[in-house]
């Protein structure tokens, strides 16, 4: 567990834009816009990736860290499929959508709570970010994800291969 935390903290530091510290309990700049989606997910909009959604308030620090890093790892996670069935149940296009529905042009983030209830989503994100930090190419990471989840999981999201 300590290794996972170290890897996630390292990834956060590397991926953090402008070095701005994100506070776990500070919701300043939050738009207080929460929506319950038909599939049961909760989506909440905040002013930026530095402001975590309130649905994470009662989650573990590890969970908050995965969300924080995932929001800043769009260029990695948009190429990684999710194998939990969320492509069919929630219309997700990649593992990124398990944590973030979209990042708007003005910087607002529409968070999705799907990842808080799904080990496959969390494992995929941690694996992808970890491998990227180790210097693996997006194609190598994608192939490893596909191999790791090819049996015993739902059909993957319709995620294109990295170019």
């Amino acid at each position: 567990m300590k290794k996972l935390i170290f890897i996630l903290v390292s990834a956060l530091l590397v991926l953090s834009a402008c070095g701005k510290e994100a506070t776990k309990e500070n919701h300043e700049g939050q738009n207080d816009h929460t929506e319950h989606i038909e599939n049961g997910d909760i989506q909440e909009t905040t002013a930026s990736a530095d402001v975590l959604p309130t649905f994470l308030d009662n989650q573990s620090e590890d969970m908050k860290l995965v969300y924080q890093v995932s929001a800043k790892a769009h260029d990695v996670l948009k190429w990684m499929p999710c194998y939990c069935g969320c492509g069919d149940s929630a219309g997700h296009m990649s593992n990124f959508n398990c944590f973030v529905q979209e990042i708007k042009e003005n910087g607002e983030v529409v968070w999705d709570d799907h990842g808080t209830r799904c080990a496959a989503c969390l494992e995929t994100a941690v694996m992808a970010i970890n491998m990227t930090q180790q210097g693996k190419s997006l194609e190598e990471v994608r192939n490893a994800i596909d191999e790791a989840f090819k049996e015993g999981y739902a059909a993957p999201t319709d995620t294109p291969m990295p170019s």
Side-chain angles (χ1 to χ4, degrees), residues 32-37 39-46 53 55 90 92 97 99-102 109-114:
D32 195 29
H33 180 254
T34 302
E35 183 177 347
H36 293 267
I37 306 304
N39 69 353
D41 287 355
I42 296 171
Q43 292 183 348
E44 183 176 332
T45 303
T46 66
F55 64 71
H92 290 176
N97 296 134
F99 307 98
V100 175
Q101 177 61 34
E102 78 173 297
V109 176
V110 181
W111 302 91
D112 194 305
D113 81 328
H114 183 86

Side-chain angles (χ1 to χ4, degrees), residues 79-97:
W79 300 111
M80 303 305 140
C82 187
Y83 283 83
C84 77
C86 62
D88 291 332
S89 67
H92 290 176
M93 298 304 296
S94 70
N95 181 246
F96 181 73
N97 296 134

Side-chain angles (χ1 to χ4, degrees), residues 108-145:
E108 290 181 336
V109 176
V110 181
W111 302 91
D112 194 305
D113 81 328
H114 183 86
T116 65
R117 299 179 306 281
C118 184
C121 301
L122 295 166
E123 290 172 24
T124 300
V126 170
M127 183 177 172
I129 293 166
N130 183 23
M131 289 182 73
T132 302
Q133 292 301 307
Q134 294 171 0
K136 303 290 184 192
S137 71
L138 289 174
E139 188 174 317
E140 290 173 307
V141 175
R142 170 63 181 268
N143 288 335
I145 298 281

Side-chain angles (χ1 to χ4, degrees), residues 24-25 27 52-61 64:
K24 59 185 178 270
E25 297 300 327
H27 297 288
L52 292 175
T54 59
F55 64 71
L56 291 176
D57 285 353
N58 295 322
Q59 297 292 336
S60 70
E61 292 305 311
K64 291 175 186 178

